[in-house]
């Protein structure tokens, strides 16, 4: 609270009126907005906290929850809103109500797989799913992953992540999310939430919101967390956009972030929780803190927080005893405490966890090395999905003269530290450890809780073996790793190929008769620190050294985020390049299928690869500066002009544009049709009208339909991602507003169609506090990337 006072003094505020009990939640520091300053300082108060609507698909669960919670004493209701020390591998466990046989909930990381345990799959990471541009696959991955959580007795999966959205190019956690694009992110989180929850597990969409950097994400001693200062239009059109889709999919939980927004901590920001989430988006589930993200007591409950994790060291006290005291002394309505419990219990009913749910945390002891019953959570039916999700995130960006696919090469060389399996050991991670500590010799645990005064930098690359996942709480490790070198050796056995390999040297010897030199490098990132660069000299030298002696050098990069390659991309000896992202346990198996042409690459870049770091408008995390040393400020002055929207605006030529990716075949686009849907459309929607989960219901009315035909003009069966971009009058020149991935046999064609809903075609009006269609001509583009758009048309409203 000292921080709050200081903030106010610093920002020279005139105190704004605050209601009783809200002072801590408000943190309101009025903006010092001048003509040359874009500083936002204020988060307006929004009270009281809306109760669970309990409508539509939630009606039944709501009714049951209300009935069960009505039987609970205030102490019991409070008890289920906080964490208790766990003896299982759960990241957190809520209190239970033994008297009513309510078991409490197990919460566990993450959106990329079940963390820190055995007999689970190591799935591809978020960025890899983003690169697949495949809705079905996102759903299936999530469904089978959700099943694994359930088998282990986990009620609440702590994922998917759609924040960070990748504002900061070097952000440490960007790889956990799908894409820098809010539309792509929204479409894939929708499928992911559906998938996890249809498997019977509550999805926790995170981190709400604007947790765009690791630096200063948590308070350190007297320095507060970074404040992400976002204007209302950018909030709606960029950062809130995918969360609206997650709520539309019915996400049972939302995790609030560590940072502040407009100077108010996410866990106590009433505009965010009561306003945007629970009123505007009609959110039905519960809001849980990120671990240790609570910074005030009753004020956070009033601002809309429903659950605190992980344990009794929180501001509601052990058993949340302070909540019942607050109800008794009049500083909190009883209805708020009841609503918190109802939202939590309703999620449990909504996912069907009241029937036949496994024992909490079964087969998943805190110390996985301790003797325990084996619970194999892997569904055999999921194996092809694990592989498919590993395959489709590979993005081929260079392939001179069809050097790929390889066809029974006589001699190959395999180079680079990223080719073999991790050279250290897998002894089983202990709960609370970063699972890949053994893999990378890198420990982000201390940073994880944010207690360190300094943040140790992450290594730029993981030198000790192939990178299948990023680091920190989103890391996913399965029961095995298929490393590229192992899979290549197996292929060599089938093809009768001579393999030479050196995965240690930076300047390996290249046999002059080698047909193809395969170089594997990576780019590491982790929760905890941000990255220090988008490339590293060691890996670049390795590529160049091999290329100096090999005229057919094929580079595969396992990149946990954007990786620049201009250092060597124009070297004529570098004949093929694949961004292989983070494929999970089937990495090598998938790489071989792509390299040898069993599968044509079908991934597309879910971000822009620039020629130079300086081309990104926000490259590095915001630092505490000037008078805001103790209250770091991150002004999102670029607004919605982030990644390709900014490159397009400034006419910067990227190395590879958003949405780009090659195939082993060729595609042509033809026959564009753009038609308005039947029925007159009003441009204006009164705010607050007919809110369902995700916002005003009619935002999803289809206003136009676009179709096109994609021809596979080459001689390989393959998938293509047809992409639709729209130029909304007054907005960015192009924004992704549709994509469809289709499988087309060589010589065949497929019709793709895109429905444009009202929200896709609207701008957020700050004055109207509503989405508003623009009057005028909308440019419509269809093609294979954000800059290869052969079909153009217009729509007029
Ligand atoms: C407010 O803006 C004025 C004018 O730019 C500047 O002189 C002053 O230092 C600012 N104060 C704060 C607290 O930012
Ligand atoms: C942040 O501040 C801006 C500018 O004052 C305001 O438009 C917006 O609604 C605020 N958002 C939140 C979440 O406080
Ligand atoms: C609160 O939850 C804990 C942990 O599950 C449990 O041991 C305790 O009995 C619960 N308290 C009440 C009042 O139900
Ligand atoms: C997605 O699923 C639909 C319906 O099940 C199917 O028609 C389509 O081919 C699938 N697409 C991909 C890329 O798997
Ligand atoms: C109230 O919260 C404080 C910590 O903020 C804690 O020390 C105290 O034990 C709590 N009281 C109860 C009854 O839970
Ligand atoms: C009521 O109880 C809460 C929680 O212990 C405490 O923070 C608050 O100061 C109390 N208010 C009054 C008026 O006693
Ligand atoms: C591609 O192949 C053609 C025909 O063999 C050859 O002329 C050309 O130099 C090759 N291009 C490159 C970049 O190797
Ligand atoms: C590789 O492992 C060694 C220990 O075997 C460790 O000292 C080193 O830091 C690791 N390198 C990286 C980049 O993680
Ligand atoms: C390409 O490789 C050949 C050897 O195969 C070498 O002679 C030549 O110098 C290399 N070119 C470059 C630009 O590295
Ligand atoms: C980016 O440009 C700067 C200035 O021209 C140059 O020093 C730097 O090496 C370039 N970085 C990369 C990755 O090419
Ligand atoms: C590591 C390696 O093989 N380097 C050789 C590359 O080729 C030059 C001559 O072209 C040799 O001098 C290097 O030893």
């Amino acid at each position: 609270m000292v921080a709050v006072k200081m903030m106010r003094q610093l920002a020279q505020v005139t105190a704004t009126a605050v209601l009783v009990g809200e002072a801590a939640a408000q943190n309101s520091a009025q903006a010092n907005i001048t003509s040359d300053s874009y500083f936002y300082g204020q988060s307006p108060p929004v009270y009281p906290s809306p109760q669970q609507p309990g409508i539509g698909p939630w009606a039944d669960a709501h009714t049951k929850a209300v009935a069960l919670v009505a039987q609970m004493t205030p102490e019991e209701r409070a008890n289920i809103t906080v964490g208790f020390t766990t003896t299982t591998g759960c990241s957190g466990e809520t209190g239970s109500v033994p008297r009513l046989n309510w078991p409490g909930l197990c919460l566990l990381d993450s959106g990329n797989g079940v963390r820190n345990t055995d007999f689970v799959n190591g799935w591809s990471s978020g960025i890899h799913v983003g690169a697949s541009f495949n809705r079905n696959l996102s759903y299936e991955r999530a469904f089978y992953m959700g099943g694994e959580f359930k088998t282990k007795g986990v009620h609440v999966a702590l994922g998917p992540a759609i924040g960070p959205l990748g504002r900061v190019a070097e952000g440490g956690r960007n790889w956990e999310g799908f894409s820098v694009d809010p539309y792509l992110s929204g479409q894939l989180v929708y499928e992911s939430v559906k998938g996890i929850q249809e498997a019977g597990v509550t999805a926790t969409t995170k981190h709400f919101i604007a947790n765009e950097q690791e630096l200063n994400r948590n308070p350190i001693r007297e320095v507060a967390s970074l404040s992400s200062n976002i204007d209302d239009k950018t909030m709606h059109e960029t950062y809130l956009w995918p969360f609206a889709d997650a709520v539309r999919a019915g996400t049972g939980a939302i995790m609030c972030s560590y940072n502040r927004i407009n100077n108010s901590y996410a866990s106590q920001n009433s505009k965010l929780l009561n306003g945007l989430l629970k009123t505007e988006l009609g959110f039905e589930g519960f809001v849980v803190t990120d671990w240790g993200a609570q910074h005030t007591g009753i004020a956070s409950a009033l601002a809309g927080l429903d659950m605190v994790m992980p344990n009794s060291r929180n501001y509601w006290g052990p058993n949340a005893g302070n909540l019942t005291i607050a109800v008794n002394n009049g500083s909190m309505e009883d209805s708020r405490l009841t609503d918190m419990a109802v939202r939590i219990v309703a999620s449990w009913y909504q996912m069907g966890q009241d029937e036949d749910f496994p024992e909490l945390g079964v087969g998943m002891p805190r110390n996985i090395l301790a003797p325990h019953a084996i619970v194999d959570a892997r569904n055999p039916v999921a194996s092809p999905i694990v592989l498919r999700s590993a395959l489709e995130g590979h993005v081929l960006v260079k392939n001179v003269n069809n050097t790929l696919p390889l066809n029974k090469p006589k001699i190959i060389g395999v180079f680079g530290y990223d080719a073999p399996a991790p050279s250290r050991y897998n002894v089983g991670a202990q709960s609370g450890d970063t699972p890949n500590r053994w893999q990378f010799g890198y420990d982000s645990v201390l940073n994880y809780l944010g207690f360190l005064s300094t943040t140790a930098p992450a290594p730029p690359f993981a030198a000790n073996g192939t990178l299948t996942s990023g680091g920190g709480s989103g890391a996913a490790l399965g029961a095995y790793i298929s490393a590229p070198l192992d899979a290549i050796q197996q292929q060599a056995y089938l093809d009768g190929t001579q393999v030479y390999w050196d995965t240690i040297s930076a300047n390996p010897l290249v046999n002059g008769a080698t047909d193809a030199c395969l170089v594997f490098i990576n780019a590491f990132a982790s929760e905890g620190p941000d990255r220090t660069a988008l490339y590293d000299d060691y890996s670049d030298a390795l590529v160049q050294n091999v290329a100096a002696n090999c005229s057919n050098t094929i580079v595969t990069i396992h990149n946990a985020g954007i990786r620049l390659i201009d250092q060597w991309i124009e070297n004529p000896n570098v004949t093929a390049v694949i961004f292989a992202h983070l494929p999970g346990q089937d990495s090598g198996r998938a790489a071989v299928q792509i390299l040898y042409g069993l599968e044509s690459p079908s991934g597309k870049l879910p971000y822009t690869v620039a020629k130079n770091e300086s081309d990104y408008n926000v490259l590095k995390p915001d630092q505490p500066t000037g008078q805001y040393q103790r209250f770091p400020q991150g002004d999102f002055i670029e607004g919605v002009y982030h990644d390709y929207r900014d490159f397009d605006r400034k006419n910067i030529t990227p190395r590879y544009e958003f949405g780009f990716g090659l195939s082993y075949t060729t595609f042509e686009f033809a026959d564009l049709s753009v038609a308005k849907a039947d029925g007159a459309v009003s441009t204006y929607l009164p705010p607050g009208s007919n809110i369902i989960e995700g916002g005003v219901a009619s935002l999803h009315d289809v206003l136009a339909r676009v179709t096109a035909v994609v021809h596979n003009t080459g001689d390989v069966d393959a998938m293509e991602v047809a992409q639709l971009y729209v130029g909304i009058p007054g907005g960015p020149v192009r924004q992704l507003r549709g994509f469809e991935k289709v499988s087309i046999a060589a010589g065949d064609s497929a019709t793709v169609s895109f429905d444009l809903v009202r929200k896709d075609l609207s701008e957020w009006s700050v004055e109207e506090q509503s989405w508003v269609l623009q009057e005028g001509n909308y440019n419509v583009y269809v093609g294979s990337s954000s800059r290869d758009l052969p079909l153009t048309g217009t729509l007029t409203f």
Side-chain angles (χ1 to χ4, degrees), residues 607-620:
Y607 49 78
T608 299
V609 178
K611 292 186 173 177
N612 194 293
E613 295 189 311
S614 59
D615 292 338
Y616 294 99
N617 55 358
V618 188
L619 172 67
K620 300 213 170 271

Side-chain angles (χ1 to χ4, degrees), residues 507-510 548-549:
N507 188 11
L509 204 72
V510 180
N549 288 312

Side-chain angles (χ1 to χ4, degrees), residues 133-137 140 388 392 719-720 740-743:
F133 274 73
N134 188 334
R135 291 185 184 83
N136 294 7
L137 187 56
E140 294 193 341
R388 181 130 295 280
E392 292 196 26
M719 284 184 278
E720 171 63 313
E740 199 186 333
K741 190 164 197 174
V742 280
S743 183

